[in-house]
Amino acid sequence: MPGVVKAISVSVGQEVKAGEALCMVEAMKMENVLRAEKDATVAKILAKEGDSLAVDAVIMEFA
């Protein structure tokens, strides 16, 4: 669903563990925390705080 990026909790090059919070997206007046599905390294962050997101928007990529 479309939403707005409220916070990004990681940075490029950071190693994240499964379940770690990556960012918070507000959609339909609810704040949703997006978490890592598996251990990975953040390769790119394509959105910034305050950006409006389309339904299929890519927020970040992993290596």
Side-chain angles (χ1 to χ4, degrees), residues 20-33:
E20 186 173 337
L22 302 172
C23 67
M24 182 183 308
V25 175
E26 181 183 293
M28 297 180 64
K29 298 187 180 185
M30 303 253 326
E31 291 182 342
N32 302 290
V33 176

Side-chain angles (χ1 to χ4, degrees), residues 2-31:
V4 176
V5 178
K6 297 302 270 184
I8 296 186
S9 306
V10 296
S11 57
V12 173
Q14 181 176 337
E15 292 183 9
V16 295
K17 302 288 183 192
E20 186 173 337
L22 302 172
C23 67
M24 182 183 308
V25 175
E26 181 183 293
M28 297 180 64
K29 298 187 180 185
M30 303 253 326
E31 291 182 342

